[in-house]
Amino acid sequence: MIVEVRNCMEDLVFEVLDEVIERNKDMCKCPKCRADIAAIALNFLPSRYIATARGEMYSKIKTLEQQFAIDIITAITYACQIVGKNPHHGQGE
């Protein structure tokens, strides 16, 4: 059995990231801005590490998803505002 330790908050953020970005019509959707938004949002959210076998991970993530959904959407929305005001794409990458 392979056991993984993961911050499941990353999975939860990436599950809703594109949906939240799409709601922000003026938001750049390039890979750099998406990554910046995800990183900023994750810095505002608590880490939620789980140790689980691969097959069990999905069910544990779904349980946590409902609990943290509002916090995740709020953090991503806030991150969109930050990145939208100061995008880093195209700056000497």
Side-chain angles (χ1 to χ4, degrees):
M1 175 188 299
I2 298 174
V3 177
E4 294 182 350
V5 175
R6 294 184 47 95
N7 176 4
C8 68
M9 194 60 78
E10 290 180 37
D11 298 322
L12 298 173
V13 165
F14 282 104
E15 278 186 21
V16 297
L17 180 67
D18 289 328
E19 182 181 331
V20 176
I21 290 173
E22 284 298 320
R23 287 188 208 152
N24 291 283
K25 300 295 182 197
D26 297 330
M27 188 69 230
C28 176
K29 294 159 184 62
C30 78
K32 176 64 175 150
C33 286
R34 279 185 81 249
D36 285 346
I37 291 165
I40 291 168
L42 284 164
N43 281 323
F44 280 102
L45 292 163
S47 299
R48 292 292 180 241
Y49 288 96
I50 56 174
T52 182
R54 286 185 188 180
E56 298 170 5
M57 189 175 300
Y58 182 77
S59 62
K60 286 191 177 188
I61 288 173
K62 284 299 177 188
T63 301
L64 291 172
E65 183 178 7
Q66 292 176 359
Q67 185 177 354
F68 297 113
I70 293 171
D71 291 340
I72 291 168
I73 291 169
T74 301
I76 294 172
T77 302
Y78 181 66
C80 283
Q81 293 171 355
I82 292 171
V83 173
K85 289 178 183 174
N86 190 20
H88 291 124
H89 56 254
Q91 294 182 2
E93 295 172 18

